[in-house]
Amino acid sequence: PEAAVEAQAAKLGVRSPRPGAPREGEGKSPAASGLPPTRPDALPPMRLAPIQRHATAASSSAGASSQATSTTTRVASRFQSLLRCASSRQVEESRGILTAEEVLGFRDEFPILDQSVYGDKPLVYLDNAATSQKPRRVLRAMEEYYEEYNSNVHRGVHALSAKATDRYEQARDKVAAFVGAGSSRDVVFTRNASEAINLVAYTWGLDNLGEGDEVVLTVAEHHSNIVPWQMLSQRNKFDVKFAGLDPKTQSLDLDGLRNLITPKTKLVSFGHVSNVLGSVNPVEEIVAAARQGAHPDCKILLDACQSVPHMPTSFPDLGVDFAVCSGHKMCAPTGIGFLWGKPEVLEAMPPFMGGGEMIQDVYQTHSTFAKPPGKFEAGTPAICEAIGLGEACDYLAEIGMGRVEEFEHEIGAYMYRELVEKIEGIKIYGPSPDQAPRAALAAFNVEGLHATDVSMILDQYGIAVRSGHHCTQPLHQYLGINASARASLYLYNTKEEVDQFVSKLSETIEFFRGG
């Protein structure tokens, strides 16, 4: 089945390396591979691999048969994920932008949206930049795990463990395909994007950033992409520098960022999409500036939390070295995220945490470690949550991320125009849709009113928006404000909900101004 699926993948222009094929200089030891082996002959006799789908069975023939069956399932799953993503890209070209009927159909998949709050106020959920809601199929996939095959993954010989391992690793395959990774080995599961950035900081960063080096960030970064570097800089004595905003558009000042990059720059780390400004950063241009002006060993990290859920994204094609994302913003559960890294970079990094799962062999005097991704996944992982993330990737891929992006551009621009035209005294931060592409969100303030007061009254109308600094205090300080209110949309929001939001915002302002 592998040859047939690989041929179809090639026809669709999809990368399709064998997940179990050894990289250059890599042996066949399953312990060294970082993932369960994909061929029976990769199992050395009478050896328990630290990360493998099945432990060696008492009967070698039975073990080989079981491993071969699991191998076929795994390989087929990997290429099916690739084909699903490629096919969805082809199909969405002919289907065009999402229709109002399709959006209403999506809403049926999200049971939480069908409710009223405060008695009779229909819920209008506009806090998607903080977390998205979860479709029924994701909830069902997680429920099925606990009801039907709850077990720990890898090394178990029994049926439940084998099935749990297959589903867990299939989820990794799905994530890899969703973000264009060349191999599922390049995807490390973490609790969230914050942990993924800390993983990079305290493995690669700890070893490679020191006195005299520079880290370049932007002033619009989420705290998760600021605080780890500040903490590490206090220990390793490197400098952290911040690029500002273009005053005309309130998007990244690209020339200013270029000027900050010097031969001392060892890391450039930035968000793909701002969770406050809605601006989409020009990744390719930033990468080019770093490759041209920074230290030869400079690495580039992309915070993709606000892009992967909303647009087609291929990390290898963007040219970055690392990328991070959280599952809960893309229809998946909380408690699961991932780090993508270039394979040669992940190979060179030391482990993040010590414990079970991430080892090759342990002796009284020392330990040796698995290859990525296993090297970075110590202890029992978030199995159910990873399975939910894989199902979310399937859900979004079947809709088509290009279609999601087009729909959000349209409804986001509609919300922006309605707010500007109908709300007197409003200030929306970031570029206008006429100046540059922007995400379907609006962080704003109304003259004379505090963002939290506005959000609290909107809540009484059933409108769920967020207020505060949105984990971007440096950005708010740069803008000269203490807080902002933020409405953020997703694929299940409608123009009618936008209209309701704008109408109730107008009533809220009248309430405070005594109108």
Side-chain angles (χ1 to χ4, degrees):
E2 176 180 348
V5 181
E6 187 166 3
Q8 181 65 10
K11 185 184 297 184
L12 292 171
V14 180
R15 295 184 183 88
S16 54
R18 298 182 182 183
R23 301 188 189 281
E24 183 178 354
E26 183 175 315
K28 293 184 177 180
S29 165
S33 72
L35 283 176
T38 62
R39 302 182 311 278
D41 63 358
L43 287 170
M46 302 303 293
R47 178 182 176 85
L48 289 175
I51 300 184
Q52 65 181 54
R53 182 163 287 100
H54 302 294
T56 304
S59 165
S60 60
S61 60
S65 175
S66 175
Q67 182 65 38
T69 300
S70 188
T71 295
T72 302
T73 301
R74 177 74 191 284
V75 170
S77 169
R78 166 64 176 162
F79 291 109
Q80 284 168 0
S81 297
L82 289 165
L83 292 175
R84 185 181 297 109
C85 288
S87 297
S88 68
R89 289 193 293 270
Q90 288 188 343
V91 171
E92 68 187 56
E93 292 177 1
S94 62
R95 288 157 64 192
I97 194 169
L98 296 174
T99 66
E101 291 75 16
E102 286 179 293
V103 173
L104 291 176
F106 298 154
R107 292 180 65 84
D108 290 339
E109 271 287 298
F110 295 83
I112 196 171
L113 299 177
D114 184 22
Q115 66 170 295
S116 295
V117 295
Y118 302 114
D120 60 348
K121 304 296 189 300
L123 173 66
V124 176
Y125 184 79
L126 303 180
D127 195 19
N128 295 284
T131 196
S132 70
Q133 299 303 337
K134 324 306 174 191
R136 281 190 172 91
R137 60 187 288 178
V138 170
L139 303 178
R140 284 198 301 267
M142 297 172 66
E143 182 180 43
E144 181 184 77
Y145 166 75
Y146 280 120
E147 289 187 347
E148 298 182 14
Y149 58 98
N150 173 48
S151 182
N152 216 323
V153 294
H154 305 133
R155 299 184 304 272
V157 70
H158 56 82
L160 294 186
S161 181
K163 185 172 182 179
T165 299
D166 281 337
R167 296 292 191 272
Y168 179 74
E169 292 301 338
Q170 286 167 13
R172 195 191 307 272
D173 294 339
K174 294 173 182 181
V175 172
F178 194 76
V179 297
S183 169
S184 57
R185 296 187 193 186
D186 306 337
V187 173
V188 179
F189 283 135
T190 60
R191 289 185 302 131
N192 44 47
S194 298
E195 183 175 75
I197 294 174
N198 276 273
L199 188 161
V200 175
Y202 288 97
T203 55
W204 178 85
L206 196 61
D207 283 355
N208 291 278
L209 297 174
E211 190 168 358
D213 294 332
E214 297 172 348
V215 169
V216 174
L217 311 175
T218 83
V219 74
E221 296 310 304
H222 191 282
H223 294 163
S224 295
N225 199 24
I226 296 176
V227 178
W229 307 115
Q230 290 177 332
M231 294 172 64
L232 188 60
S233 72
Q234 294 172 4
R235 177 172 178 173
N236 282 22
K237 309 302 181 185
F238 57 84
D239 295 324
V240 180
K241 298 157 62 174
F242 291 86
L245 304 180
D246 181 334
K248 295 181 180 179
T249 64
Q250 287 192 332
S251 56
L252 175 66
D253 180 359
L254 187 57
D255 288 336
L257 182 139
R258 289 192 182 104
N259 291 335
L260 289 179
I261 294 173
T262 74
K264 295 181 180 181
T265 303
K266 295 285 285 292
L267 176 72
V268 178
S269 188
F270 61 97
H272 196 170
V273 175
S274 169
N275 71 326
V276 172
L277 305 172
S279 53
V280 182
N281 282 326
V283 179
E284 292 87 349
E285 294 181 59
I286 297 172
V287 169
R291 300 300 184 211
Q292 181 177 359
H295 189 279
D297 296 329
C298 176
K299 298 295 181 285
I300 302 169
L301 187 151
L302 182 70
D303 176 356
C305 287
Q306 298 292 343
S307 59
V308 168
H310 304 284
M311 64 179 68
T313 309
S314 172
F315 294 151
D317 291 344
L318 291 174
V320 299
D321 299 289
F322 303 105
V324 303
C325 189
S326 284
H328 69 93
K329 290 177 170 41
M330 52 182 292
C331 298
T334 57
I336 188 69
F338 60 93
L339 163 71
W340 172 87
K342 286 184 175 178
E344 65 274 15
V345 180
L346 294 178
E347 289 277 359
M349 288 160 50
F352 178 42
M353 298 173 62
E357 294 288 319
M358 49 74 69
I359 54 88
Q360 179 174 349
D361 291 296
V362 177
Y363 305 92
Q364 293 186 35
T365 54
H366 68 284
S367 299
T368 57
F369 307 114
K371 294 286 187 179
K375 174 167 63 173
F376 304 111
E377 296 182 2
T380 297
I383 304 166
C384 181
E385 288 78 4
I387 292 168
L389 174 58
E391 190 66 26
C393 288
D394 280 349
Y395 175 74
L396 292 172
E398 289 169 14
I399 294 172
M401 291 308 299
R403 303 182 76 217
V404 171
E405 180 182 30
E406 289 183 27
F407 167 74
E408 291 191 10
H409 280 174
E410 181 182 276
I411 194 171
Y414 176 76
M415 179 172 69
Y416 189 99
R417 289 193 302 269
E418 290 293 295
L419 288 170
V420 169
E421 292 174 4
K422 296 182 178 180
I423 304 299
E424 184 179 353
I426 194 169
K427 169 63 178 176
I428 303 176
Y429 302 101
S432 73
D434 297 330
Q435 291 175 314
R438 62 174 287 141
L441 63 84
F444 64 93
N445 272 304
V446 177
E447 185 179 0
L449 302 180
H450 194 282
T452 300
D453 293 335
V454 170
S455 300
M456 288 178 65
I457 300 302
L458 283 172
D459 175 57
Q460 298 299 309
Y461 290 119
I463 314 292
V465 300
R466 184 156 293 260
S467 64
H469 51 66
H470 317 299
C471 295
T472 59
Q473 283 184 298
L475 174 59
H476 279 70
Q477 293 159 6
Y478 185 93
L479 295 172
I481 56 177
N482 293 322
S484 61
R486 184 185 66 194
S488 50
L489 309 173
Y490 204 20
L491 57 89
Y492 41 65
N493 288 121
T494 66
K495 285 187 176 180
E496 289 75 18
E497 288 184 311
V498 172
D499 294 340
Q500 179 78 348
F501 159 56
V502 174
S503 172
K504 295 306 179 185
L505 176 58
S506 179
E507 292 183 25
T508 297
I509 295 170
E510 291 179 8
F511 168 80
F512 280 112
R513 292 178 177 168

